[in-house]
Amino acid sequence: MGRAGSHPASAPLLLLLVLLRAERLPGAELTFELPDSAKQCFHEDVERGARFSLDYQVITGGHYDVDCYVEDPLGNTIYQETKKQYDSFTHRAEVKGVYQFCFSNEFSTFSHKTVYFDFQVGDEPPILPDMGNRVTALTQALLRSPRPLSVIVALQGWAG
């Protein structure tokens, strides 16, 4: 047996893993438990001018709601919502540094929550490279929809 990674069949797999990793935007995606009367914060280093987004949803617990806020590196609150089941927030960083986003269940004295979030830094590339700014039938339908896309996504999560 040779050393790990020296097998000829492992080279294509390694290349695939490197390519998949290269397409991912910096950030984090996580599901975590938030105990009653607790707050949990996460931190991400963001360059000045970079676009970042936070999407979150309470999956289980109580009335499926949490408080959420985002602070810039100077301590300024740039996003704050209370008792939300889900939400999305997008912002372009005006200051380079560590941004903090927190979820709070401090208002609940007996119900812990399970929270999912996706924090992404950078602009997502188009799904199809030659798509550019073209409007598709799907995007037209979404723009005409009486419900925001975040509601549709949340309902898909409930449907399974």
Side-chain angles (χ1 to χ4, degrees):
M1 300 298 283
R3 291 183 303 193
S6 64
H7 192 274
S10 66
L13 178 61
L14 179 61
L15 179 60
L16 177 63
L17 291 173
V18 168
L19 290 174
L20 288 174
R21 179 66 183 141
E23 291 298 316
R24 286 189 48 93
L25 297 173
E29 182 178 8
L30 183 67
T31 300
F32 69 98
E33 294 288 324
L34 184 60
D36 55 309
S37 303
K39 178 172 77 170
Q40 179 70 48
C41 294
F42 300 89
H43 306 86
E44 187 72 31
D45 194 24
V46 180
E47 294 293 323
R48 183 175 189 262
R51 181 181 126 339
F52 64 86
S53 63
L54 171 65
D55 299 300
Y56 65 92
Q57 179 175 357
V58 180
I59 299 171
T60 64
H63 293 288
Y64 297 92
D65 57 350
V66 292
D67 296 344
C68 180
Y69 67 88
V70 179
E71 289 183 349
D72 70 12
L74 303 175
N76 300 316
T77 301
I78 57 176
Y79 168 84
Q80 184 170 9
E81 289 292 336
T82 57
K83 296 189 177 183
K84 296 286 281 194
Q85 293 179 349
Y86 56 88
D87 203 8
S88 295
F89 170 69
T90 301
H91 184 75
R92 191 155 304 270
E94 297 174 10
V95 180
K96 176 188 181 337
V98 177
Y99 284 73
Q100 172 177 266
F101 53 105
C102 299
F103 300 94
S104 172
N105 194 25
E106 294 172 308
F107 58 84
S108 178
T109 56
F110 61 88
S111 177
H112 78 278
K113 313 286 172 60
T114 302
V115 180
Y116 162 83
F117 75 83
D118 184 14
F119 186 88
Q120 297 295 320
V121 179
D123 293 315
E124 284 192 48
I127 296 170
L128 300 172
D130 64 342
M131 193 169 184
N133 291 326
R134 289 187 227 157
V135 177
T136 65
L138 177 60
T139 56
Q140 287 177 347
L142 289 173
L143 291 174
R144 286 192 305 262
S145 173
R147 297 184 126 180
L149 183 57
S150 60
V151 172
I152 295 169
V153 170
L155 291 174
Q156 285 177 337
W158 283 93

